Amino acid sequence: MKSDGGDKPKTSIDVSVGKEIDAALGDVIRGLLQKPSEAVGDLVADGIGILGDRVRRKRELNAKLGMEEVRKRLDADGVDMKDITPPKEEELHLLMNGMSLADDESIRELWSGLFAKALEPNSETEAERPFISVLDSLSPLDAKIIDLLSFIQRTENELQAKSIKFSPRDFRKVTDEEKAQAERAQKENAALQKAAVSSIRQKAEEYSLSEPSAPGWSDNLMRQGVIERTPIHRFGHLSAFGPTIRDERDLANALGEFHKTLREMEEVSKRQASPPERLFSQHAFGPRLNLEVQLTAFGKRFASACGLI
């Protein structure tokens, strides 16, 4: 860098194509704000042309990256290119259009997942309009939440498959050997659960979803019917015939239980109506997590169609 007399230092800068476009676009916008009204028409045309070129190149890159991901998924599932079953022309257009507009990698992976599943000959997945509608609406945070909840679902399924199921032949006469087996099973299951919770926490931290997010973080996914508040299972068993009333004490107890149930139902109703503050919280006992939201039945179908479950 050299200085020529009183002039400002001259700097040699290697400007990328992207920066050149940004600078040109900035000049157009500044011109729109400064030029007289008769020049606005030409400037708008120039701006649209520059922006159009940039958008086209960006969409081409997104589509290229998306198609590479589709190919990887098909290869991983052992699908030969000659066996693919293309969706209907309109669905193919929607998939390509959506994928080309997906700048965020998390969102693009969902598009490519649905694209790949729709191409697989033995898959029942189709590019359904509800799936397309959800994908069109997603923010990068939405995509990460769906991926994390799908990861939790997969982890729970694996935990259930690996957990040791043990019960004695006769609960009235449990042998020492059976007691030892039960203790080993309990210890191994606790270790599996701890490892599962640890992996979920690690995934959540990678996505910065361990702590409460900004207000409204769940609004879009709830509106789209992808997630819902987890239910609270706190009610005791209620007999179809009601409690047996023999005296005033039984009547008072029955009324007390009835009012308790009403309060719990009101609490659940308020909880379902209020937006969640966070994705999950720590369980009071042991290495467990309390999920505040979960995938709906539609959400699970959507996640499965995108290859997440």
Side-chain angles (χ1 to χ4, degrees):
M1 182 168 64
K2 297 180 180 180
S3 177
D4 298 331
D7 296 338
K8 292 183 180 179
K10 295 181 180 179
T11 306
S12 175
I13 303 175
D14 182 16
V15 182
S16 67
V17 173
K19 290 294 184 182
E20 289 176 351
I21 293 175
D22 286 342
L25 209 54
D27 289 340
V28 169
I29 293 171
R30 282 187 288 273
L32 288 173
L33 296 173
Q34 297 172 358
K35 295 287 183 179
S37 58
E38 59 269 16
V40 168
D42 293 336
L43 287 168
V44 168
D46 292 341
I48 291 174
I50 293 171
L51 185 59
D53 290 342
R54 179 180 183 180
V55 169
R56 186 178 66 254
R57 284 195 291 271
K58 186 63 176 175
R59 292 186 65 174
E60 288 173 354
L61 176 60
N62 290 339
K64 179 176 179 293
L65 292 172
M67 292 307 293
E68 288 175 355
E69 181 64 26
V70 171
R71 180 61 186 263
K72 288 179 184 177
R73 289 172 181 263
L74 291 173
D75 288 343
D77 290 342
V79 178
D80 196 293
M81 292 299 101
K82 65 180 175 57
D83 297 326
I84 62 172
T85 55
K88 297 176 182 178
E89 185 176 344
E90 186 175 356
E91 293 172 352
L92 181 60
H93 169 75
L94 291 174
L95 286 168
M96 285 299 300
N97 185 65
M99 195 162 59
S100 71
L101 290 172
D103 288 337
D104 180 77
E105 183 180 358
S106 300
I107 299 176
R108 193 165 56 244
E109 286 181 355
L110 293 178
W111 277 104
S112 61
L114 178 60
F115 205 150
K117 284 291 183 182
L119 292 176
E120 290 185 11
N122 297 323
S123 171
E124 296 181 358
T125 298
E126 296 181 0
E128 299 179 23
R129 289 305 179 87
F131 296 160
I132 299 291
S133 177
V134 169
L135 285 169
D136 279 334
S137 77
L138 294 183
S139 69
L141 177 61
D142 292 336
K144 288 180 173 62
I145 291 171
I146 293 172
D147 188 50
L148 178 58
L149 290 176
S150 300
F151 177 78
I152 292 173
Q153 182 69 58
R154 296 197 308 272
T155 303
E156 288 182 349
N157 294 342
E158 292 172 3
L159 182 61
Q160 289 295 325
K162 292 180 179 178
S163 294
I164 301 172
K165 281 78 174 176
F166 174 79
S167 60
R169 289 187 295 272
D170 187 346
F171 283 95
R172 295 169 299 179
K173 299 177 181 179
V174 181
T175 66
D176 291 340
E177 183 181 354
E178 288 175 332
K179 287 181 181 179
Q181 284 182 276
E183 289 176 0
R184 283 197 299 271
Q186 185 178 19
K187 185 176 180 179
E188 291 183 27
N189 289 341
L192 288 171
Q193 186 178 57
K194 184 177 181 180
V197 170
S198 177
S199 66
I200 292 171
R201 283 191 174 281
Q202 184 177 354
K203 185 82 168 178
E205 288 174 3
E206 289 175 6
Y207 285 165
S208 301
L209 291 172
S210 297
E211 299 300 325
S213 300
W217 63 270
S218 62
D219 289 354
N220 181 54
L221 291 178
M222 284 189 160
R223 184 168 55 249
Q224 296 290 340
V226 177
I227 65 173
E228 63 187 354
R229 293 297 298 265
T230 51
I232 301 178
H233 302 290
R234 295 174 57 181
F235 305 129
H237 175 69
L238 298 178
S239 169
F241 302 100
T244 302
I245 307 298
R246 293 168 297 190
D247 52 32
E248 292 181 357
R249 182 180 299 176
D250 288 339
L251 179 60
N253 290 337
L255 288 174
E257 287 296 319
F258 176 71
H259 287 300
K260 179 183 177 182
T261 300
L262 285 181
R263 287 195 299 272
E264 289 181 340
M265 291 177 66
E266 183 179 359
E267 182 180 340
V268 170
S269 178
K270 287 181 179 178
R271 181 178 183 276
Q272 293 299 109
S274 62
E277 294 182 359
R278 61 180 68 207
L279 199 65
F280 58 75
S281 57
Q282 177 64 45
H283 196 274
F285 304 101
R288 297 173 60 189
L289 297 174
N290 290 324
L291 274 179
E292 296 295 323
V293 296
Q294 63 185 13
L295 292 172
T296 62
F298 169 75
K300 290 178 181 177
R301 279 208 315 118
F302 171 75
S304 178
C306 294
L308 297 179
I309 299 179

